[in-house]
Amino acid sequence: MAPDLRPLFEPKGVVVTGVSAHPGKFGFVALHNLLACGYTGPVFAVGREEGTVLDRPVLASVDAVPDGAAELLVLCTPVAANAEIVRSAAARGVRAVFCAAGGYSEAGPDGAEAEDQLVALADELGIVLAGPNGQGVVSTPVGLCAQIVAPFPTAGRIAVVSQSGNFVSSFLNYANQTGVGISRAVSAGNAAAIGVADYLEWFADDPETEVALCYLEGLADGRGFFERVREVTRRMPVVVVKGGTTAGGQRAAASHTGSLANDDQIFDGMARQAGLVRAANIESAFEAAATFATQPLPAGNRIVVLSTAGGWGVVTADAVTAHRDLDLTPLPADLMATIDKLVPPRWSRNNPVDLAGGETRDTIPAVLEATVAHPAVDAVVQLGLGIQGNTAALTRGGPFHPDHGLGRIVDFHEHQERRYAEAADSASRSHDKPVLVASELAVARPDNPLVQAVRESGRLCYPSADRAVVALGHLVRYADWRRRRP
Amino acid sequence: MGTVSEARSRQLVEAAGIPVSPWASAGDPDRAVEAARNLGFPVAVKLNGDAVIHKTEGGLVRLGLASPDQVAEAAAQLLAGAGEGTDLLVTQMVAGHRELIAGLVTDERFGPCIMLGLGGVLVEAMADVAFRLAPLGVVDALDLIDDLGAQTLLGPLRGEPALDREATADLLVAIGTMADDPNVVAVDLNPLVVADGRPVAVDALVELSDGAQ
């Protein structure tokens, strides 16, 4: 049975051990982060030196924590001290331990023995043990930043679990960059007692979480992971990125099948069978998760590419066509007739829809709405926005603004960009279909009004059409996986 | 662990419901000719035995034998160089331009896994293969076929119909059921010739765990 991780992610009170006045020490940093990010429960500092740290009294022992006042213990103390601390903490009402301390199984046979003993102790006491040798745990619904690294992420619906603590930080950095936020995040560390599958099972039932994002390196019990995670994916998308894919080489075997088998291809087949969304790298994994968190699941694979002008539409249509899970659907005749009424006849009259610069004030919202509404369209990629906002930025910063009528035109351009973003969001919501907006301005000019408005709508502005297509491919494949396994 | 003879391997895979090319065992050239007559020419004649593996590489297969004389000659040659515990296996030649490879392998982390790939002499070099874990349902088996890179080779080709995906999925599901027997360590169906759209194993190799032979 999956352990209840509520005391880890939503503790009533936290104790940090190993707190000293040295601001570079893990205990200090963990205490600082707990106090700095909005956690409202009581926080207790335990250390060897009397006095205060960050204006908190330093307790000499966890025995000084009032009974029942703290549920989470963050261990930043050395291996030799921890068993006794855990036992005392449990007696004070602690229900979960995050062991940030290293020196366990990653450090050799003595550490491995200490790790086994710590697991047995947690078992005996009936408490959750996360780590050891992990960077910490984050939970935005309660403002919990119990980690020895940065950043604290913007709040959202992606839950992160990673077998590498630094990739937790990477994912949280992307969350802050894009504005698509995080519900929970945990560095699994050595995963001595609580493994990735345990976290995923808990996330699947977590009302704050829409999608899980996971970095994996090794799986000691691959079959057990498979059996558990394929039940999770029936309820919640799980995006994984796998490290060490080139490590497993060919095997010596009597059979051709045996000699053709390698670890990565078996992992890949397992992932597909289990309904895992396997991303090729860290940034595409984040973008896939951000897409699941902010877009509805599509009902099929029929994609329409919308563009205002230029080569964007052509290149993106190529990317959709080359993607095995996506179909660049022929433009329905009635939709074509609708667009005919909205723009001059030089538009592309096929998919990709290229308006060829023929749009006026209301055209882009109208074309978006008509396309997304069409029953023969499952998802839309919108390109070529942000141009007006970019022009406005140059004008606004130039020597003539706001004279010569420039004040008014800049305001108009910026207003239009916001309308486009709102139209994409509103069409997506009212028809329950994914609408992905892509522009390099997402990274080149994050202050562009289109980019800002997409972000304010809670969605990801994709830095390129190719990356939007990759994310959409994951969405379509997963939706199909779910549909075919009712 | 050890491999068993092609004849025993064929019995095991047939028992799982996997289609194999019609075949018969023969102890000497006369019986090989008789078997060939019953099966219909052309046939292949192979040396058969528990220790006989990598037959093609070892020159232990004679393909496309179209007459009783050819069968008798091939049979005599194969037996002349053969060791203890061997006999002959005579099998119908199955016509088809396309070859697949399928099998079962036991992975130390994930347990029994089913493989499907494009076959033929270039299988190792192309390495267009994909895996699923056993047991396998039909939906996952169809996905496994979709995973292969060279999908155009699975469509209609040179006057032959497209690969029958349902029949192929059934075959993959059947391979998965072989893992129900914990003694089965590996299965190799190489090649599966696609005949009139349906894959048929023209060779089979089963590897059993120690003590299970």
Side-chain angles (χ1 to χ4, degrees):
Chain A
M1 203 185 95
D4 177 15
L5 303 183
R6 202 273 313 152
L8 180 67
F9 289 109
E10 296 193 350
K12 298 173 196 133
V14 184
V15 186
V16 185
T17 68
V19 173
S20 74
H22 192 308
K25 298 283 191 190
F26 286 168
F28 183 104
V29 177
L31 178 67
H32 174 273
N33 291 350
L34 270 165
L35 296 173
C37 298
Y39 178 66
T40 55
V43 175
F44 303 94
V46 175
R48 285 190 302 189
E49 302 159 18
E50 279 181 49
T52 63
V53 170
L54 297 170
D55 305 328
R56 297 267 146 166
V58 176
L59 310 178
S61 149
V62 289
D63 295 331
V65 174
D67 201 16
E71 286 186 306
L72 174 62
L73 172 69
V74 179
L75 281 175
C76 300
T77 26
V79 173
N82 287 339
E84 196 188 320
I85 294 172
V86 168
R87 195 176 281 283
S88 305
R92 309 308 294 159
V94 159
R95 307 270 319 281
V97 175
F98 190 95
C99 186
Y104 287 93
S105 61
E106 82 285 359
D110 291 350
E113 197 184 324
E115 187 169 301
D116 289 345
Q117 286 167 0
L118 196 61
V119 171
L121 178 61
D123 241 23
E124 176 201 322
L125 300 171
I127 61 176
V128 168
L129 172 64
N133 189 34
Q135 294 189 342
V137 58
V138 160
S139 179
T140 59
V142 294
L144 181 77
C145 185
Q147 58 174 355
I148 55 176
V149 289
F152 187 66
T154 186
R157 316 229 355 117
I158 301 172
V160 173
V161 53
S162 175
Q163 289 183 332
S164 156
N166 286 316
F167 281 140
V168 175
S169 302
S170 296
F171 290 137
L172 306 193
N173 287 330
Y174 284 127
N176 287 343
Q177 182 198 350
T178 60
V180 180
I182 301 294
S183 55
R184 329 281 187 179
V186 62
S187 156
N190 296 352
I194 306 292
V196 171
D198 296 306
Y199 292 112
L200 293 176
E201 284 174 352
W202 193 81
F203 293 155
D205 293 327
D206 175 18
E208 302 290 341
T209 295
E210 185 80 27
V211 54
L213 172 56
C214 181
Y215 172 77
L216 288 177
E217 260 171 31
L219 287 174
D221 176 17
R223 175 62 69 153
F225 178 81
F226 167 74
E227 303 284 358
R228 291 173 70 184
V229 83
R230 71 170 165 177
E231 297 304 318
V232 169
T233 53
R234 288 172 170 276
R235 293 180 281 155
M236 169 187 73
V238 177
V239 178
V240 298
V241 56
K242 172 81 165 67
T245 58
T246 52
Q250 306 295 112
R251 302 145 194 227
S255 65
H256 285 97
T257 303
S259 64
L260 284 162
N262 71 54
D263 289 348
D264 185 57
Q265 281 180 310
I266 288 176
F267 179 87
D268 199 65
M270 180 284 292
R272 286 177 182 245
Q273 193 170 356
L276 292 167
V277 175
R278 187 179 182 192
N281 53 51
I282 294 293
E283 62 266 31
S284 68
F286 178 80
E287 285 169 8
T291 306
F292 282 106
T294 60
Q295 299 279 355
L297 285 183
N301 66 349
R302 298 166 300 177
I303 312 302
V304 171
V305 175
L306 297 181
S307 177
T308 52
W312 286 304
V314 178
V315 167
T316 308
D318 289 344
V320 171
T321 303
H323 197 298
R324 292 176 61 164
D325 297 311
L326 301 178
D327 176 32
L328 187 75
T329 193
L331 209 57
D334 55 337
L335 179 57
M336 209 180 287
T338 304
I339 301 175
D340 270 336
K341 290 186 203 123
L342 295 168
V343 288
R346 67 172 183 272
W347 76 283
S348 64
R349 305 198 86 251
N350 65 9
N351 186 7
V353 174
D354 180 349
L355 300 179
E359 68 271 18
T360 55
R361 180 184 295 261
D362 299 318
T363 314
I364 288 170
V367 171
L368 253 171
E369 169 60 26
T371 307
V372 178
H374 198 284
V377 175
D378 296 314
V380 167
V381 180
Q382 171 74 57
L383 313 164
L385 304 182
I387 301 173
Q388 287 172 269
N390 211 26
T391 301
L394 179 61
T395 309
R396 194 187 269 286
F400 302 108
H401 182 268
D403 303 328
H404 312 280
L406 293 176
R408 218 170 128 242
I409 191 76
V410 162
D411 290 348
F412 170 74
H413 284 323
E414 290 174 349
H415 175 71
Q416 285 293 92
E417 296 292 7
R418 303 197 68 84
R419 279 189 69 204
Y420 303 152
E422 284 156 17
D425 180 57
S426 142
S428 170
R429 279 177 208 285
S430 41
H431 305 291
D432 201 29
K433 295 177 187 178
V435 178
L436 282 64
V437 176
S439 168
E440 74 285 354
L441 292 162
V443 284
R445 286 301 297 257
D447 61 340
N448 182 286
L450 171 88
V451 176
Q452 291 210 321
V454 170
R455 184 184 177 118
E456 283 161 26
S457 75
R459 306 205 185 211
L460 186 61
C461 188
Y462 297 82
S464 76
D466 279 351
R467 284 160 73 165
V469 168
V470 168
L472 189 53
H474 288 308
L475 213 59
V476 165
R477 174 182 274 272
Y478 175 72
D480 180 63
W481 187 90
R482 282 271 290 262
R483 250 193 321 276
R484 294 193 297 125
R485 289 162 183 82
Chain B
M1 294 186 294
T3 55
V4 299
S5 72
E6 180 175 345
R8 176 120 186 253
S9 298
R10 281 173 172 260
Q11 287 163 353
L12 291 168
V13 303
E14 281 186 297
I18 294 165
V20 302
S21 57
W23 63 285
S25 290
D28 57 43
D30 287 347
R31 300 219 172 149
V33 170
E34 185 190 334
R37 284 205 170 95
N38 291 336
L39 292 164
F41 293 96
V43 296
V45 178
K46 317 183 198 185
L47 194 66
N48 180 64
D50 286 347
V52 180
I53 57 168
H54 301 311
K55 293 185 286 282
T56 303
E57 294 83 341
L60 305 177
V61 179
R62 303 294 156 88
L63 298 173
L65 307 174
S67 69
D69 285 352
Q70 286 179 7
V71 169
E73 189 188 346
Q77 285 172 357
L78 288 171
L79 286 172
E84 286 285 299
T86 53
D87 62 357
L88 298 170
L89 190 145
V90 184
T91 179
Q92 227 176 46
M93 292 296 294
V94 176
H97 287 118
R98 285 169 291 191
E99 293 183 354
L100 303 173
I101 175 172
L104 186 79
V105 58
T106 305
D107 181 77
E108 60 177 8
R109 288 187 183 80
F110 291 104
C113 298
I114 297 135
M115 188 194 81
L116 174 68
L118 289 180
V121 291
L122 300 178
V123 57
E124 257 101 9
M126 289 170 59
D128 188 358
V129 297
F131 293 82
R132 288 293 184 276
L133 274 54
L136 188 66
V138 172
V139 170
D140 286 313
L142 289 167
D143 277 0
L144 174 51
I145 302 167
D146 285 343
D147 271 8
L148 294 183
Q151 291 290 316
T152 48
L153 283 179
L154 307 183
L157 186 79
R158 301 182 72 178
E160 295 180 6
L163 179 72
D164 182 335
R165 284 173 188 255
E166 281 70 32
T168 309
D170 289 345
L171 183 150
L172 294 166
V173 170
I175 293 174
T177 64
M178 293 187 73
D180 294 347
D181 178 351
N183 293 317
V184 173
V185 173
V187 177
D188 221 11
L189 305 176
N190 182 31
L192 290 163
V193 172
V194 180
D196 202 22
R198 299 168 74 87
V200 177
V202 303
D203 196 358
L205 180 69
V206 174
E207 191 176 341
L208 298 177
S209 57
D210 284 334
Q213 297 169 54

